[in-house]
Amino acid sequence: MRSEGRMLSLGPRFWGEFSSFLVSWFNKGRFVVSLFQVPVKMPLKKVNLGSRVQEIVEEEEEEPSLLDLPELALERILERLSPAGLCSMAGVCSSLRDRCRSDHLWEKHLKQKWGRVIGESAYKEWQWHIASSKMSSLLDQRNQKGFMGSLISMWPFCWFKPKCESRSKPTTCLPVDSIMALYLSLESGKFWFPAQVYNRENGHVGFMLSCYDAQLSYDSKTDTFQARYSPFARQTIEQSIHWERLRAPPVDTPAHVLHTSDCLSDLKPGDHIEIQWRRSKEFPYGWWYAVVGHQELCDGNQNRCRCRHDGTHLVIDLVGSRGCRFKDILNTCFICLHEILLTDTVVLEFSQYTPGSRWRQTIINRKDHREVGNEADGFYGGIRKLCKAEEISKWKQLWPNQIVD
């Protein structure tokens, strides 16, 4: 206790530097496994003293152990290890094995690398895999080389025994519902997870500024993804998809289901939106980027914009003015009614297409909007308004170099 108290009294700066040193040493492969093993007796030495041979047993000395460190210091070291470091450390002994597969250590790694592309649908898919007992096929080690080979070879833990444990001791497997299991399954590429892909099929002109649902698998060797799309009558596969073209689904709406729009009453010119569109009713929806535009008879002036106001402000202004006549009020009411009908109409601009193109613009009714369209022009579905600057910025980054016909 005194020794531990003295060690803790060294302060956080010391332990920060000390843990950094150990982590650096470990990641460079300089950790000696025997440092953490149960101490072994030194061999007997024969000493020749003239005509007599004596056997002298050298005094046993305990070797230092990582587990002798204070709890806080040990935890600090483990928190700073990479995923590969945690897997290697887990092979030292059962105590470190249990610590290294703790969810709180892997949550950080999962969020840092996978948080942007893993959403609720992916977690549901993972739970389905667990429930259906298909975990055994997710981490096949065949053809795994290099870093991923060593990483995946550590899972599940029932495949190996810590070096310091007796061979007669039973081993325990990594729980399939642990965060470490999910992380390693994603890294191995054996777990196909649902996400969405911008500009599918390598930026094909027919999918410019769209985002479609797909099943994805990671390739650690190239740091890219493979996607499987499932349109009607055929399945399309795309290779070598980079991270920046992926996102987690922003809403929990399946690809074949009409999204419930809750933003229609708030839409005004200049708003950025995504709208569902599909080629025919047998196809799944994709999300397409658009901007709310002005109506044909509107000049875009904010003070006179018929797309922005409901017209009732004209009545209020007129009634509040001096000398207004009943006839003026009646005429204004008719104008207001006309403008209210106009403002039920919302113009959506797809500016990636040339003016005059049939894909350039579509019109919806904010009061009674459901799926609209036909077999020639496709079908428009639900709408979601983009309120986050990073979402809008992402679409602008994907803008084509030239306008599409």
Side-chain angles (χ1 to χ4, degrees), residues 281-319:
K281 288 186 176 291
E282 292 80 14
F283 278 67
Y285 285 113
W287 288 98
W288 291 74
Y289 173 72
V291 177
V292 179
H294 290 275
Q295 298 175 31
E296 185 177 359
L297 299 179
C298 180
D299 61 5
N301 186 293
Q302 184 173 355
N303 296 324
R304 299 188 302 270
C305 180
R306 297 181 178 182
C307 319
R308 184 182 298 268
H309 303 293
D310 61 6
T312 56
H313 67 289
L314 298 176
V315 178
I316 296 174
D317 292 343
L318 185 60
V319 173

Side-chain angles (χ1 to χ4, degrees), residues 45 53 73 76 81 102 118 141 144 153 155 166 168 187 216 227 247 256 275 306 309 367-368 375 378 402:
K45 283 189 177 181
V53 177
R76 182 74 177 273
L81 288 179
S102 298
I118 294 294
Q141 294 184 86
Q144 295 289 346
S153 67
W155 193 98
S166 168
S168 61
E187 288 285 336
L216 291 138
R247 75 174 182 183
H256 286 86
I275 184 170
R306 297 181 178 182
H309 303 293
K367 291 292 182 66
D368 187 29
E375 292 294 336
Q402 59 183 11

Side-chain angles (χ1 to χ4, degrees), residues 28-72:
K28 291 179 180 178
R30 297 176 183 172
F31 254 171
V32 181
V33 173
S34 63
L35 180 64
F36 311 111
Q37 293 182 358
V38 177
V40 181
K41 290 184 178 181
M42 300 296 291
L44 299 179
K45 283 189 177 181
K46 293 184 178 181
V47 181
N48 187 4
L49 299 177
S51 60
R52 189 174 56 173
V53 177
Q54 287 185 329
E55 288 187 350
I56 301 177
V57 180
E58 295 187 353
E59 181 181 358
E60 294 183 8
E61 294 183 1
E62 286 192 7
E63 296 182 356
S65 170
L66 185 65
L67 298 177
D68 292 335
L69 291 173
E71 190 77 15
L72 184 61

Side-chain angles (χ1 to χ4, degrees), residues 119-308:
E120 288 299 320
S121 57
Y123 286 110
K124 290 178 182 178
E125 185 82 4
W126 176 250
Q127 293 299 324
W128 181 85
H129 274 283
I130 295 173
S132 60
S133 303
K134 291 184 177 180
M135 289 297 300
S136 60
S137 64
L138 296 180
L139 295 175
D140 182 12
Q141 294 184 86
R142 289 176 298 178
N143 301 323
Q144 295 289 346
K145 298 179 181 179
F147 165 73
M148 278 308 303
S150 62
L151 185 66
I152 299 304
S153 67
M154 305 303 292
W155 193 98
F157 288 125
C158 57
W159 292 354
F160 75 98
K161 288 189 177 186
K163 297 180 181 179
C164 59
E165 289 187 0
S166 168
R167 292 193 175 185
S168 61
K169 267 191 176 182
T171 58
T172 58
C173 293
L174 173 66
V176 294
D177 59 348
S178 67
I179 295 179
M180 181 181 181
L182 172 57
Y183 185 95
L184 297 184
S185 296
L186 289 167
E187 288 285 336
S188 72
K190 297 302 180 181
F191 175 47
W192 289 76
F193 64 94
Q196 293 181 345
V197 182
Y198 292 102
N199 295 350
R200 60 175 281 184
E201 298 183 29
N202 295 311
H204 187 281
V205 67
F207 297 102
M208 193 61 63
L209 292 188
S210 67
C211 198
Y212 275 78
D213 289 84
Q215 292 288 322
L216 291 138
S217 173
Y218 179 62
D219 183 356
S220 62
K221 297 177 183 178
T222 61
D223 194 30
T224 60
F225 294 84
Q226 178 181 357
R228 292 194 302 226
Y229 306 102
S230 300
F232 178 69
R234 69 185 182 94
Q235 185 177 82
T236 304
I237 297 177
E238 181 180 353
Q239 307 279 353
S240 303
I241 301 173
H242 293 277
W243 286 86
E244 58 269 19
R245 287 180 56 206
L246 301 181
R247 75 174 182 183
V251 292
D252 190 19
T253 304
H256 286 86
V257 176
L258 180 70
H259 176 68
T260 302
S261 308
D262 57 1
C263 62
L264 298 178
S265 60
D266 300 329
L267 293 180
K268 60 185 183 299
D271 284 344
H272 301 262
I273 63 102
E274 292 178 13
I275 184 170
Q276 289 177 309
W277 182 86
R278 57 181 172 180
R279 188 69 183 85
S280 69
K281 288 186 176 291
E282 292 80 14
F283 278 67
Y285 285 113
W287 288 98
W288 291 74
Y289 173 72
V291 177
V292 179
H294 290 275
Q295 298 175 31
E296 185 177 359
L297 299 179
C298 180
D299 61 5
N301 186 293
Q302 184 173 355
N303 296 324
R304 299 188 302 270
C305 180
R306 297 181 178 182
C307 319
R308 184 182 298 268

Side-chain angles (χ1 to χ4, degrees), residues 321-347:
S321 65
R322 294 184 179 180
C324 64
R325 297 177 299 177
F326 177 75
K327 183 179 180 181
D328 296 330
I329 296 176
L330 187 61
N331 289 335
T332 303
C333 287
F334 280 112
I335 295 174
C336 291
L337 179 60
H338 178 66
E339 291 196 3
I340 289 173
L341 294 175
L342 285 176
T343 54
D344 285 346
T345 300
V346 179
V347 177

